[in-house]
């Protein structure tokens, strides 16, 4: 099937319309999740529902559903979509009301979803490696909330696209490396795999969490550690992770080769481990 939509309880093949007074439209006032389905099964649905509630709480949004209810709404919708390989986009905005910065806590949220067919990319697709650019990270202090206010990420990713690159890697004013425009970032230095601790400067990625677990299972030494642009540029391996990008090697940053300029050994091991895990749910 093609794309299937859901808006406040109504499922349709036609794209539904929302109010021009939707606070998501006017203020970027909403939260979202993207959940991957492999062969008709959700990967890490509970993690996504958990994070959705965390994001809601971080932006003072009351969700009038229990976690179990949300889980059921998403699952029932996906079952109707008949897309074995899919990405399910879930968005909840604070609601529609006459435009004002402040809000009433009684607003009825607008619950929107779509299920989009995904191509199941062969492992070779990832193994070849991709280019990235660095970009200034001037985002706010609540990057752990997955909100639809993505303009900063949009501009950084456009910078990457214009430079013929796959991702923009964010660097804060003090040189700290945070994450990608729509991904988390890992480096390997001196044989140790590192990523920034999941603080308020990054989204606590679900793929990141599972990749860290896979590193443990594969006896790859791992450290949660803040690192800097010079560490990134001197790393022997770099990769990004995300629900739809899975484990994607970065082999060139700002026109400079990462390590040998080819996908490294640790990255390759994790690409395979992640692929095996998600294709055997
Ligand atoms: C800014 C940002 N960081 C990290 C991620 C990766 O998160 P996940 O692995 O949960 O998809 C995303 C995914 O969209 C993102 O937008």
């Amino acid at each position: 099937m093609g794309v299937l939509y859901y808006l406040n309880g109504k499922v349709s093949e036609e794209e539904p319309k929302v109010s021009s007074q939707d606070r998501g439209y006017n203020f970027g006032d909403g939260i979202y999740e993207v959940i991957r389905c492999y062969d008709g099964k959700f990967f890490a649905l509970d993690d996504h529902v958990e994070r959705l509630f965390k994001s809601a709480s971080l932006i003072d949004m009351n969700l009038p559903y229990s976690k179990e209810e949300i889980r059921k709404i998403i699952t029932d919708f996906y079952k109707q979509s008949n897309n074995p390989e899919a990405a399910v986009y879930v968005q909840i905005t604070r609601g529609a009301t006459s435009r004002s910065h402040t809000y009433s806590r009684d607003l009825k949220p607008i619950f929107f979803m779509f299920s989009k067919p995904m191509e199941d990319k062969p492992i070779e697709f990832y193994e070849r490696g991709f280019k990235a650019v660095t970009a200034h990270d001037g985002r706010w202090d609540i990057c752990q909330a997955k909100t639809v206010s993505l303009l900063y990420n949009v501009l950084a990713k456009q910078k990457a696209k214009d430079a013929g690159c796959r991702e923009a890697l964010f660097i804060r004013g003090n040189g700290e490396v945070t994450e990608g425009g729509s991904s988390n970032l890992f480096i390997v230095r001196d044989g140790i795999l590192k990523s920034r601790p999941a603080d308020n400067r990054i989204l606590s990625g679900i793929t990141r969490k599972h990749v860290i677990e896979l590193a443990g299972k594969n006896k790859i030494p791992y450290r949660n550690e803040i690192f800097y642009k010079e560490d990134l540029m001197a790393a022997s391996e770099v990769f990004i992770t995300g629900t739809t990008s899975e484990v994607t090697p970065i082999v060139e940053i700002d026109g400079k080769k990462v390590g040998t300029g080819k996908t490294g050994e640790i990255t390759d091991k994790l690409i395979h481990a992640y692929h095996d895990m998600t294709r055997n749910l």
Side-chain angles (χ1 to χ4, degrees):
M1 200 191 252
V3 181
L4 191 70
Y5 300 93
Y6 171 102
L7 182 66
N8 291 339
K10 207 164 159 244
V11 175
S12 61
E13 284 177 41
E14 295 267 295
E15 190 191 325
K17 302 282 182 263
V18 292
S19 164
S20 59
Q21 301 279 43
D22 173 15
R23 290 184 61 93
Y25 177 56
N26 288 329
F27 294 105
D29 185 357
I31 54 176
Y32 77 107
E33 285 294 324
V34 179
I35 314 168
R36 184 76 166 81
C37 304
Y38 296 94
D39 196 21
K41 285 170 238 132
F42 280 110
F43 173 62
L45 176 60
D46 289 346
D47 290 337
H48 286 281
V49 171
E50 202 57 52
R51 188 171 64 186
L52 190 70
F53 275 79
K54 192 171 153 211
S55 299
S57 152
L58 283 161
I59 68 158
D60 186 30
M61 185 195 280
N62 288 324
L63 293 179
Y65 312 92
S66 66
K67 286 179 190 162
E68 202 36 59
E69 280 163 347
I70 293 248
R71 205 179 187 288
K72 186 165 168 14
I73 292 170
I74 298 172
T75 308
D76 289 350
F77 166 65
Y78 173 60
K79 275 191 200 142
Q80 292 176 65
S81 81
N82 204 14
N83 287 329
E85 297 298 320
V88 177
Y89 177 82
V90 178
Q91 174 183 295
I92 303 181
T93 60
R94 202 181 300 273
T97 180
S98 79
R99 188 182 179 282
S100 157
H101 283 69
T102 56
Y103 48 86
S104 151
R105 293 197 173 80
D106 309 327
L107 275 184
K108 187 179 170 333
I110 296 176
F111 193 147
F112 168 65
M113 291 191 274
F114 63 81
S115 163
K116 185 177 100 175
M118 291 284 290
E119 187 195 336
D120 186 18
K121 299 217 176 69
I123 213 151
E124 298 74 36
F125 170 83
Y126 292 111
E127 280 174 331
R128 70 190 161 114
F130 294 84
K131 296 179 191 173
V133 286
T134 55
H136 174 64
D137 189 349
R139 295 176 300 161
W140 67 342
D141 277 349
I142 319 177
C143 295
Q144 75 274 38
K146 195 164 171 72
T147 78
V148 295
S149 304
L150 287 170
L151 190 52
Y152 211 97
N153 307 56
V154 164
L155 295 175
K157 288 195 71 95
Q158 188 62 36
K159 176 185 172 187
K161 186 180 177 199
D162 291 345
C165 295
R166 167 96 172 184
E167 183 59 298
L169 309 178
F170 279 134
I171 309 209
R172 296 205 66 90
N174 66 356
E176 284 179 22
V177 178
T178 53
E179 62 180 341
S182 61
S183 57
N184 289 120
L185 179 60
F186 287 77
I187 63 168
V188 177
R189 275 210 83 178
D190 304 322
I192 298 170
L193 179 66
K194 297 178 184 180
S195 84
R196 186 189 175 88
D199 56 11
N200 63 325
R201 296 289 188 202
I202 65 167
L203 182 74
S204 182
I206 288 160
T207 320
R208 173 184 178 278
K209 175 187 133 177
H210 287 272
V211 164
I212 292 168
E213 282 170 17
L214 289 172
K217 284 184 190 149
N218 284 276
K219 311 245 172 318
I220 297 166
Y222 171 75
R223 239 188 257 158
N224 258 336
E225 191 175 284
I226 288 180
F227 55 89
Y228 293 83
K229 186 172 180 186
E230 51 270 29
D231 301 306
L232 173 70
M233 300 313 279
S236 54
E237 300 183 36
V238 173
F239 64 85
I240 54 172
T241 60
T243 294
T244 53
S245 43
E246 307 192 301
V247 178
T248 297
I250 298 297
V251 296
E252 191 185 299
I253 302 172
D254 292 344
K256 294 198 195 78
K257 270 189 198 172
V258 174
T260 61
K262 297 221 164 61
T263 298
E265 210 179 297
I266 290 179
T267 309
D268 199 51
K269 214 181 241 183
L270 289 168
I271 290 174
H272 279 83
Y274 191 80
H275 198 272
D276 287 352
M277 177 180 66
T278 49
R279 271 67 174 182
N280 292 292
L281 295 174

